[in-house]
Each structure stands twice: as C-alpha cells, then as structure tokens.
Amino acid sequence: MKRILASTALCAVILLAGCSQGSIKYSVDHTPTMGMSFWNAFQLNINEDLVKDQALAVTELGLDSLGYKFINIDDGFQMPRDEEGHFRCDPALFPSGMRAVADYIHSLGLKAGIYTDAGDNTCGSENIYTYGLGTGLYGHERSDCHLFFDEWDFDFIKIDFCGGQHAGLNEKEQYTKIANAIKSCKKSDIIFNICRWRYPGTWAEDLATSWRTTYDIRPWFARVKYIIEENLWLQAYTRNGHYNDCDMLEIGAPKWPGSDASLTHDEELTHMAYWCIASSPLIMGCDMRTLSEESLEILKNKDLIAMNQDPLGLGAPVVQRSGDVYVVAKDMESIMGPKRAVVVMNLSDKPGSVDVYAEALGFKGRIKVYDCFTHEDRPDLACETSFNVPLRPHSSAAFFVTGKRIEKQIYDASESYLHNFSTIEGAISPRYMPSPSASLGTYVSGLGGSTDNWLQWNNVYSGKGGKYVATFRYSCAYPTSFKVLVNGKEVGELTDLVTQNDHNWNEANLEIKLNKGLNEVRLCPIDGIMPNIDLMYLHKK
Ligand code: GLA
C-alpha cells in the first residue's frame, strides 16, 4: 500500500511538472538571419573564388546594408578526414583555407557561415559527393566546433541530418550534444541552424536559432506552396527569437536542371511576403552576379524586410481563410500595439478575392492600410469593417495596418503551441488536423495520454485583467477531460466531455481570471487522453 501511495505521489509531481513547466518571454536575441547561401544556385560546385565573388557582389548590390550579412558556405567544401580524424577542407577548391575565406568575408563587413551534418556523412555525400563521407560531426562534435568557430572564425552553422538519419541517431540527443559543443567554444554569439527538414520538436527552441521545417525548396510554385502550407500551422513555434526556417529563397534562382519551371513575378512576391511575415530566415539562394532587376527589387523591399526583422520576432497565424486564400497577420513593434503586418495570399491556380475584416485583424473603428509592395498608403482600402483584395492565381498582397486594437475573443487551436509537437516522420505527436467543420479548417487532436502532452495559447491578452468565461469547442467520441491552467496555476477541470463523433463539436465553459496584459492559457490532461480542440472563445464578465 505504501508503495502504491508513493508512486501516486510521484505521478502527481510529474503531472504538475509536465503541466506547469515552460513559459513565454518576448525578448529577442537575434532577429531572423539574413544573408545568402550557395546551395540553391550552385549545389556542390563551389570554390574559394566563387565564395569571394558572391560575397563581394552582396556588398556591391547594397544588400548588406539592408541586413543580408551572412555568406553561408553549404555542402561541397570538405575533404575526407586525415588519419587522426581531423576535419579538412578540400585544398583544390579552397587553396587558401577556410580561415582565409572567413577573414575575407569579415573584411567586407559580412559574417561567415559553414555547413556540416549531425551524423557521419553530409547530404551531398549520400548521393554523389564522396568527399563528404565521414566529415559529419558525429564523434567529433567538440573538435570540429572548435575548428569552425575558434580557429576558422565562422559565425553561423547549418547542421544537416542525412548522416544522422542514416545512422538512426536520436535528433534531440545528438543536436543537444552539438549545442553543448558549440557552447564550449571561445567564440560566442554563434547562429545555429538545425536542418532536419521537418519541425523537429519544441526541444529545438532551447538549442537553436532556427530550424528547417520542410523538405528542400525548389524554384517552382508547387514546392513554395507546400512549404507555406506546412508552415501555416507552425506559427506558435516561432517565438522567443527562435525561428521556423522555411528554407533558402528561390527568388532570382535559376531553373532547376532538367526542369522548365521557374517562379513568376507574382510567385516571387508571394514567396518573399510569406517568408517575411512568418519571421523566417531570409537566405538568398540565387547567383548574385546574374540577378534580374525585378528579383533584386523584391529582395530589397524595405517594408517586407522590416516586417521580417521586427524586434518582436513573432510568427503570423492564419486569421481568415477561404479555401486556398489565406490572411495571416502578426503584431509589429509592440504586442497589442497599433500596428500589424498582414499578408493575403491566393495559393490556388484560379483568380480569387477576399474581403479582409478589420475585426479579424484585431481592430475596431477606422483602420489605415499601407501597401508594402507599392510603398504607399492605400486610402481606398481604409475602412471600418472590411476591404476587398482581388488576387491573381499565386499572387499576394502585403500591408501594414494601423488602428485601435480590440481584445481578441477567438483563440484558434491552429495558433496554439503543442508541447509534444513534431512533424518528424513516425514521431508520436499531437497533430493539426484539417476538417471543414473546424474553425479556419483546422483543429488539434492527439493531446493527453502523458502529462507533458498539452496545448497552450501563449499570448492571451486582457486590456484590464479580470474575470472571463472561457468557452472551449471540443469533440471526442468517448468521454475525455482536461484541466485549465492560467499563467501556470490550475483554475479548473472540465470532465465527461463527449460528442457523437470526432467532427461533431460541443462547447464547455469555465470561468477564468486573466492578468492585465499577456497571459498563458494551458489545457492539460487530467488522466488519459484529451478531446480534440477547435478553439477557445473568451467572453468578458
Ligand atoms: C540537404 C539540405 C539542403 C542542402 C543539402 C546539401 O538536402 O536540406 O538545404 O544543405 O542537403 O547537401
């Protein structure tokens, strides 16, 4: 009996720890990384002269003064390790050595980036580039990091996972080991990008500056659309100045070998606008020497860059949706301040149009609209209720909207943060599920079952603080339950939640008290699984 009691007590502690740990902060160490990388345009065909030429071109085009500072060498510079296991660059390609290249990049006022793999082999070497075999970090974490940062003086590192996947390494363990190796270097302020091609898990935000969320981009719209669609529901994970990386830009990039497809002007604008509003790193992937004027103008768009480099570093959740036409928005400059960034996108192959509602954007009364593509105020769109945006196939519009803010009432599950979320193949994870019956076409399922498998709205705002009725829209074909924590404190339980089937929604109410300003509202399992969650609606008492 004693034993059973002891283990029950332990469970309670774990339950509490699982549900009450972690909290949000809004201070950003780094805005999203801006620069260029060699991969999209040159793949493995790189050398010292090319790197220097491209770096110089970035300065000659004035891109550095707009924030594009990082010159990131990707795969293709390595040479098999020597007999003692020391990492080497290929002297035929980089005869002056990597330190000299980094010095040159620094002499231009730029920053230098390098590439490796978390496992044994780089991704290029898994196909044709045998020189990359055995050059990954596995087993050499500390010595390689000291070489890259303290001896060669690089400032950024992208760490791929082809070798890691091949060897069946555990992502969290291996990237944690690497993060510790980076921290052990004399050089500080190193930008660390995880390249696992899927959203790796919330553990990544404690380790890395950014993490890739999708498979590789290509210079055609279907691939850009796939990346946008994957990222639409990941916006809660771009936080605390740690970012979802939508991959390198294909703006101005050449056609893919053997393919006729490339991006149109409208598509390049949509690509840039989404990467900017989503606070993704902006890493150009084109040949700087042959960039067209149109593409250069897009990359140099100061308003879009300001949207991307906003000091809040927030993601931009979906606020309105009609099929493949999306409206996404985020606060700029201050949380719940008067200015918001808004991007309206038509991802479909047909022309479309959308009435954008001021209320859906979080405003009450007359709003002012500034067009980030034409750089002018749009008095024709200023309104109190809604403005219409016609959109060609694959086109978009980007705005700064200002006005008086209203407290948000609907917190959608699609913008919530799921503690155990990951899109790694085969991961046991809660999911953002599509359903025509759910608000914004998406709900969350797979919560509960373990104490740390919870959902949270990170930014629940109350102007004055006080009592609210929180209404939760849920579904589940068998009885489920959850408890609600506000700012880490348990405020109540909702039990016996059951509906006819998974797409038949019901509502449950709970009175909660919010602090003035920002609050965190967390839904945690009591014992067992939680229902599907569609949204939380807040009503001030
Ligand atoms: C993977 C990455 C790419 C690039 C190549 C290099 O595919 O996702 O971005 O770094 O490897 O081999």
Side-chain angles (χ1 to χ4, degrees):
M1 181 65 179
K2 241 186 174 171
R3 239 182 121 160
I4 294 171
L5 273 181
S7 70
T8 316
L10 185 68
C11 282
V13 171
I14 294 169
L15 195 71
L16 253 175
C19 281
S20 58
Q21 71 196 180
S23 90
I24 192 162
K25 68 177 170 85
Y26 283 102
S27 69
V28 169
D29 303 331
H30 297 280
T31 53
T33 310
M34 291 176 70
M36 66 88 57
S37 162
F38 292 83
W39 182 253
N40 288 2
F42 305 102
Q43 278 120 61
L44 294 161
N45 307 311
I46 56 170
N47 60 55
E48 186 174 321
D49 289 342
L50 179 78
V51 171
K52 288 182 172 172
D53 265 13
Q54 295 289 313
L56 189 60
V58 165
T59 61
E60 285 170 352
L61 292 169
L63 287 157
D64 54 336
S65 59
L66 295 168
Y68 293 98
K69 293 273 189 208
F70 284 81
I71 306 298
N72 292 345
I73 296 169
D74 208 280
D75 207 353
F77 68 95
Q78 312 88 329
M79 167 107 184
R81 289 179 190 275
D82 69 15
E83 279 170 8
E84 278 140 29
H86 295 127
F87 185 96
R88 299 184 291 181
C89 74
D90 184 344
L93 300 176
F94 290 83
S96 316
M98 301 311 277
R99 172 73 197 221
V101 174
D103 284 349
Y104 177 78
I105 292 171
H106 289 146
S107 75
L108 297 174
L110 301 170
K111 302 246 182 200
I114 200 162
Y115 165 97
T116 186
D117 194 281
D120 281 329
N121 308 325
T122 70
C123 285
S125 72
E126 301 255 311
N127 302 313
I128 41 167
Y129 177 61
T130 52
Y131 267 23
L133 290 170
T135 64
L137 283 177
Y138 189 59
H140 304 273
E141 293 82 0
R142 284 195 176 227
S143 52
D144 281 8
C145 285
H146 284 283
L147 178 70
F148 297 157
F149 304 121
D150 292 337
E151 286 184 40
W152 289 352
D153 206 17
F154 279 84
D155 310 285
F156 167 103
I157 190 157
K158 166 176 169 181
I159 305 182
D160 226 329
F161 202 69
C162 284
Q165 191 173 46
H166 203 96
L169 299 183
N170 175 286
E171 286 86 350
K172 183 177 175 182
E173 276 170 24
Q174 180 58 5
Y175 280 114
T176 302
K177 201 169 181 190
I178 293 167
N180 289 334
I182 295 175
K183 275 189 215 137
S184 76
C185 292
K186 281 196 226 87
K187 182 162 182 149
S188 57
D189 209 21
I190 293 158
I191 306 291
F192 168 20
N193 174 263
I194 290 179
C195 182
R196 175 55 184 85
W197 337 291
R198 308 294 291 139
Y199 177 72
T202 54
W203 51 267
E205 74 199 40
D206 295 330
L207 305 181
T209 321
S210 57
W211 44 81
R212 279 272 299 278
T213 52
T214 53
Y215 300 119
D216 292 10
I217 195 166
R218 297 279 185 264
W220 54 79
F221 194 70
R223 201 51 92 90
V224 172
K225 179 178 172 180
Y226 145 75
I227 293 176
I228 295 175
E229 284 174 340
E230 287 281 308
N231 278 276
L232 284 171
W233 318 114
L234 302 182
Q235 294 304 298
Y237 305 95
T238 274
R239 57 183 220 144
N240 302 350
H242 298 263
Y243 304 98
N244 294 323
D245 173 3
C246 298
D247 204 357
M248 299 162 291
L249 299 168
E250 288 284 15
I251 294 160
K255 288 188 172 58
W256 189 252
S259 159
D260 274 346
S262 61
L263 296 172
T264 64
H265 187 65
D266 274 345
E267 291 168 349
E268 288 199 342
L269 275 169
T270 300
H271 178 10
M272 181 76 175
Y274 188 73
W275 267 235
C276 286
I277 197 162
S279 302
S280 169
L282 293 182
I283 307 294
M284 301 177 288
C286 49
D287 182 341
M288 295 296 147
R289 297 278 179 198
T290 55
L291 195 51
S292 74
E293 279 304 316
E294 287 85 12
S295 297
L296 186 60
E297 195 185 323
I298 295 174
L299 292 167
K300 284 184 147 184
N301 183 316
K302 284 190 178 158
D303 290 319
L304 292 181
I305 291 173
M307 194 184 271
N308 179 260
Q309 295 290 300
D310 179 69
L312 293 178
L314 295 174
V318 177
V319 296
Q320 259 186 256
R321 175 183 184 180
S322 165
D324 268 357
V325 177
Y326 294 91
V327 183
V328 299
K330 70 173 181 183
D331 286 0
M332 284 190 66
E333 295 164 15
S334 62
I335 301 271
M336 284 301 282
K339 181 171 173 184
R340 303 204 84 201
V342 176
V343 167
V344 185
M345 306 175 280
N346 179 8
L347 302 185
S348 82
D349 300 335
K350 297 198 182 109
S353 103
V354 60
D355 289 321
V356 180
Y357 288 94
E359 201 182 327
L361 299 179
F363 294 98
K364 190 183 173 74
R366 197 165 176 78
I367 52 169
K368 275 176 54 182
V369 181
Y370 172 90
D371 192 322
C372 297
F373 289 173
T374 60
H375 314 292
E376 55 197 15
D377 286 324
R378 293 284 302 268
D380 55 317
L381 303 182
C383 64
E384 289 205 4
T385 50
S386 69
F387 60 91
N388 183 266
V389 183
L391 293 159
R392 293 182 292 274
H394 306 175
S395 80
S396 54
F399 305 111
F400 294 139
V401 179
T402 45
K404 192 168 173 297
R405 298 296 301 275
I406 33 165
E407 264 182 34
K408 186 167 137 130
Q409 286 192 298
I410 297 175
Y411 288 83
D412 204 83
S414 65
E415 59 177 316
S416 68
Y417 175 89
L418 312 179
H419 181 254
N420 284 4
F421 183 61
S422 166
T423 59
I424 287 180
E425 308 83 353
I428 299 169
S429 160
R431 295 262 175 251
Y432 299 92
M433 299 289 290
S435 165
S437 71
S439 113
L440 298 175
T442 304
Y443 67 96
V444 167
S445 79
L447 294 163
S450 70
T451 55
D452 57 356
N453 192 9
W454 43 258
L455 168 157
Q456 177 165 291
W457 287 282
N458 292 322
N459 51 357
V460 179
Y461 185 82
S462 169
K464 294 196 176 129
K467 285 186 186 158
Y468 288 76
V469 175
T471 301
F472 300 96
R473 195 162 183 253
Y474 69 89
S475 76
C476 193
Y478 40 89
T480 50
S481 60
F482 61 87
K483 61 183 174 183
V484 180
L485 278 77
V486 176
N487 302 319
K489 271 209 203 125
E490 195 176 324
V491 296
E493 291 187 350
L494 292 164
T495 54
D496 289 323
L497 305 171
V498 63
T499 54
Q500 270 171 356
N501 57 52
D502 276 355
H503 302 283
N504 181 261
W505 300 95
N506 215 339
E507 292 179 353
N509 293 329
L510 186 73
E511 192 176 296
I512 62 172
K513 206 167 155 245
L514 297 180
N515 293 336
K516 184 172 178 302
L518 285 176
N519 297 266
E520 295 171 341
V521 176
R522 187 175 294 187
L523 313 188
C524 286
I526 298 172
D527 49 8
I529 64 148
M530 289 171 55
N532 302 319
I533 301 289
D534 186 25
L535 56 81
M536 171 177 73
Y537 178 85
L538 287 181
H539 175 74
K540 184 122 174 70
K541 278 197 88 179

